[in-house]
Amino acid sequence: MIPPPPTDLPAHLKALAGRADDALARALPGENDPPVELHRAMRYAVLGGGKRIRPLLVYAAGHALGIDDARLDAPACAVEIIHAYSLVHDDLPAMDDDALRRGRPTCHIVFGEAMAILAGDALQALAFEILAHDEAGIDAHARIAMLRALGAACGAEGMAGGQAFDLSAVGKRLTLAELERMHAYKTGALIRASVKLGALAAGCRDDDLLSRLDRYGHAVGLAFQVRDDILDIEGESSVIGKTAGKDAAADKPTFPSIIGLEPSRARLDALVADALDAIAPWGERGEWLAELARYSATRGH
């Protein structure tokens, strides 16, 4: 039995999240630089809170492989900026039509739909520019591999494909395998890429280690989504930062709706156990990864 983990991030990971915030603020265009409205929308989308799980996974994977945090800032920023762009587009009326994100009005509510679309487009482009122009001493081979990994996580076999599955699944009864495939694309792909980017930045080319990290990322990505589905039932909008109960109201397939609430909790335990087993060879060096796996399944928002 997995011991009960904390429901909040430990102090050292919170400090790393603060490091990511500082790096993001530097990487984004200034809010008074023209075109002003676009840049303000971009900064609003990225800097408006968030758990920074994806940057933390970059740092944690790099830490497990002995790389300095400074060399991980660029990939950490890139994955979070991609995540922010995906949220801006997912919240649009043509997609999930949500008015609340991270406890604030969504980007299109504040800046209008057209500017929100442009902000998402510009953020996606910026993420790849950051990776391509990284000057932290990461060699060209590793940077090309990181660009490829991040691109794959965004496309038809990643977030875009997952959103397409999601849109077509509304009102339908999916099997558990179909639901897990949808979320492996929509949520899991970028989480897996975050772990891989940390490893690639560290110069890792060991197929066995990369396979273990990919297994870890897959388990954490699914655990994150199962927890989201549980919070949609049990959470309060003021705590989780988005509209509670929205998935059920929209008749979207979720883990509790397909297998039930208690089996969903059991699935969470199994996913965390698998993630921890995958990183066992790293021992204490993998503790940041272990803490993030536990947090993904216990977070309150």
Side-chain angles (χ1 to χ4, degrees):
M1 179 68 111
I2 300 170
T7 57
D8 199 8
L9 287 170
H12 57 276
L13 291 183
K14 286 183 179 179
L16 267 184
R19 179 187 181 95
D21 281 333
D22 292 341
L24 287 163
R26 293 191 302 269
L28 288 161
E31 63 178 359
N32 294 318
D33 296 340
V36 170
E37 194 75 354
L38 174 60
H39 289 163
R40 289 181 178 175
M42 292 167 68
R43 294 182 72 87
Y44 182 89
V46 176
L47 301 178
K51 295 173 282 294
R52 307 304 188 211
I53 292 298
R54 291 153 191 84
L56 287 175
L57 287 167
V58 174
Y59 288 122
H63 176 76
L65 293 166
I67 188 174
D68 185 76
D69 291 341
R71 297 184 66 191
L72 298 164
D73 287 337
C77 284
V79 293
E80 186 66 11
I81 287 171
I82 288 289
H83 177 54
Y85 123 73
S86 74
L87 297 182
V88 171
H89 281 192
D90 283 358
D91 289 337
L92 289 167
M95 296 288 185
D96 293 348
D97 192 16
D98 220 327
L100 188 67
R101 173 70 66 179
R102 293 173 172 171
R104 306 188 306 168
T106 47
C107 191
H108 71 272
I109 295 294
V110 177
F111 295 94
E113 290 181 41
M115 194 57 65
I117 292 169
L118 289 174
D121 291 345
L123 286 170
Q124 184 183 42
L126 177 62
F128 289 99
E129 182 181 354
I130 288 169
L131 275 186
H133 289 239
D134 175 35
E135 298 178 356
I138 298 173
D139 66 56
H141 181 278
R143 279 188 284 126
I144 291 171
M146 288 193 291
L147 288 165
R148 185 183 299 117
L150 189 58
C154 295
E157 295 186 1
M159 293 189 303
Q163 183 70 354
F165 283 135
D166 195 5
L167 291 172
S168 65
V170 175
K172 294 182 180 178
R173 182 74 179 178
L174 299 185
T175 65
L176 179 60
E178 289 171 333
L179 181 68
E180 291 198 350
R181 180 184 66 173
M182 179 178 81
H183 288 308
Y185 279 42
K186 184 176 180 181
T187 304
L190 190 58
I191 286 178
R192 289 167 69 186
S194 301
V195 179
K196 187 171 186 177
L197 261 61
L200 291 172
C204 180
R205 298 185 185 180
D206 185 310
D207 288 340
D208 178 63
L209 294 182
L210 289 171
S211 178
R212 281 185 167 275
L213 288 172
D214 190 61
R215 176 183 155 203
Y216 165 90
H218 176 76
V220 169
L222 272 182
F224 199 89
Q225 186 59 52
V226 175
R227 184 59 181 161
D228 255 5
D229 286 355
I230 292 172
L231 288 172
D232 187 67
I233 295 173
E234 299 181 336
E236 298 179 7
S237 298
S238 59
V239 176
I240 64 177
K242 55 186 177 181
T243 309
K246 196 168 186 301
D247 289 343
D251 199 19
K252 282 191 169 188
T254 64
F255 284 91
S257 72
I258 290 177
I259 63 174
L261 190 56
E262 289 310 312
S264 294
R265 298 189 204 281
R267 183 75 176 116
L268 265 183
D269 285 347
L271 288 166
V272 173
D274 188 42
L276 296 178
D277 182 68
I279 59 171
W282 280 277
E284 290 185 3
R285 289 188 299 133
E287 185 55 29
W288 290 4
L289 289 168
E291 288 169 337
L292 289 168
R294 297 185 190 104
Y295 173 75
S296 70
T298 60
R299 60 195 171 84
H301 61 89

